[in-house]
């Protein structure tokens, strides 16, 4: 947007799932759908996603987006999304 990056996240494709982290949106661009756009894209590739940190604010967003926390292992928070949500 306006020749600058306004949203990003790190993505690593693993066998059977996609690991992502550091989902960030520029403060002046929040609440405009950029995080949803990124997450919808990731869900379209694989509904089994692993989020690598624990952040209550993002937990609420991921739950709103149809995510279900399935557990925590070795510091990784595992989520699963329904493709149509």
């Amino acid at each position: 947007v306006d020749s600058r990056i306004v949203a990003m996240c790190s993505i690593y494709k693993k066998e059977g799932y996609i690991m992502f982290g550091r989902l960030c949106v520029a403060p002046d661009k929040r609440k405009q759908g950029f995080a949803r756009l990124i997450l919808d894209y990731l869900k379209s590739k694989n509904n089994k996603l692993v989020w690598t940190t624990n952040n209550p604010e993002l937990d609420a967003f991921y739950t709103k987006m149809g995510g279900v926390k399935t557990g925590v292992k070795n510091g990784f928070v595992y989520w699963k999304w329904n493709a149509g949500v």
Side-chain angles (χ1 to χ4, degrees):
V1 175
D2 300 327
S3 300
R4 69 183 180 116
I5 295 171
V6 297
M8 61 171 275
C9 76
S10 58
I11 303 168
Y12 308 93
K13 189 172 182 181
K14 301 286 186 178
E15 187 175 320
Y17 63 90
I18 294 173
M19 180 183 294
F20 73 104
R22 302 190 189 279
L23 177 56
C24 303
V25 177
D28 65 321
K29 297 296 182 185
R30 292 184 181 157
K31 307 271 188 214
Q32 296 181 32
F34 290 104
R36 178 182 293 273
L37 183 67
I38 290 171
L39 193 54
D40 283 346
Y41 174 78
L42 294 175
K43 290 183 338 184
S44 77
K45 298 298 178 188
N46 187 333
N47 75 337
K48 189 173 183 182
L49 306 176
V50 177
W51 177 39
T52 58
T53 60
N54 192 13
N55 178 321
E57 183 179 345
L58 284 176
D59 283 356
F61 172 70
Y62 294 146
T63 300
K64 180 180 172 182
M65 291 288 297
V68 175
K69 190 183 294 189
T70 61
V72 179
K73 183 178 179 182
N74 299 327
F76 296 118
V77 179
Y78 290 80
W79 290 80
K80 185 170 183 175
W81 276 264
N82 294 324
V85 176

